Amino acid sequence: YPRRKVDSTGLVVFVRDTSGSIDDKLTAQFTALIAQCCGDLNCEALVMDCDTIIHAEYRLAPGEEAPLHAKGGGGTSFLAPFARVAELVEAGESVAGLVYLTDLCGDEPDTVDISTLWLSTTDSVARTGHTVHVDL
């Protein structure tokens, strides 16, 4: 008999930029985008709150939402989440890709080893991955 087969997306890593240039309203909009994406993909997600370091990680099952309040508030460096994803892959985690929600004002990695989508609230374009501008 024919049957519907659903391919597993794997773990999608979302990073909320929690630097000082990101306010609570924008963080809530980032969280809503993450929830919508997870709902559309029916995927497991790992949400990280990061300014210069990762302040929190939330592993979410399909349908769960990340907390609205994000931790951080300092400067900006995009490097720590990419190092964390490398650790996850090294540990055998099936990571589908990384989605970074940010204003793209910070230190970017020179290269990345994971499919990366930058959702930027500014007109800036990342040196790596793909950049999509979002009006929030």
Side-chain angles (χ1 to χ4, degrees), residues 14-94:
F14 294 92
V15 182
R16 298 188 292 191
D17 180 348
T18 60
S19 63
S21 61
I22 306 295
D23 61 18
D24 288 340
K25 180 180 177 188
L26 194 51
T27 299
Q29 291 170 320
F30 286 170
T31 304
L33 284 173
I34 293 168
Q36 182 180 4
C37 182
C38 290
D40 289 348
L41 293 175
N42 193 34
C43 67
E44 183 180 7
L46 180 64
V47 178
M48 296 180 197
D49 292 342
C50 183
D51 51 23
T52 57
I53 63 169
I54 298 168
H55 289 278
E57 287 187 12
Y58 310 97
R59 191 171 283 260
L60 308 175
E64 286 185 310
E65 293 186 16
L68 285 177
H69 181 73
K71 297 176 181 173
T76 309
S77 175
F78 303 124
L79 304 178
F82 289 97
R84 178 68 177 120
V85 167
E87 290 173 2
L88 293 168
V89 170
E90 179 76 22
E93 188 82 55
S94 176

Side-chain angles (χ1 to χ4, degrees), residues 14-15 26 30 33 36-37 78 98-105 108 115-136:
F14 294 92
V15 182
L26 194 51
F30 286 170
L33 284 173
Q36 182 180 4
C37 182
F78 303 124
L98 186 144
V99 179
Y100 217 119
L101 299 104
T102 180
D103 59 8
L104 270 174
C105 297
E108 294 179 45
S115 295
T116 305
L117 176 63
W118 300 88
L119 296 182
S120 175
T121 59
T122 64
D123 291 334
S124 298
V125 176
R127 292 189 309 259
T128 59
H130 299 283
T131 304
V132 174
H133 301 286
V134 291
D135 292 321
L136 300 175

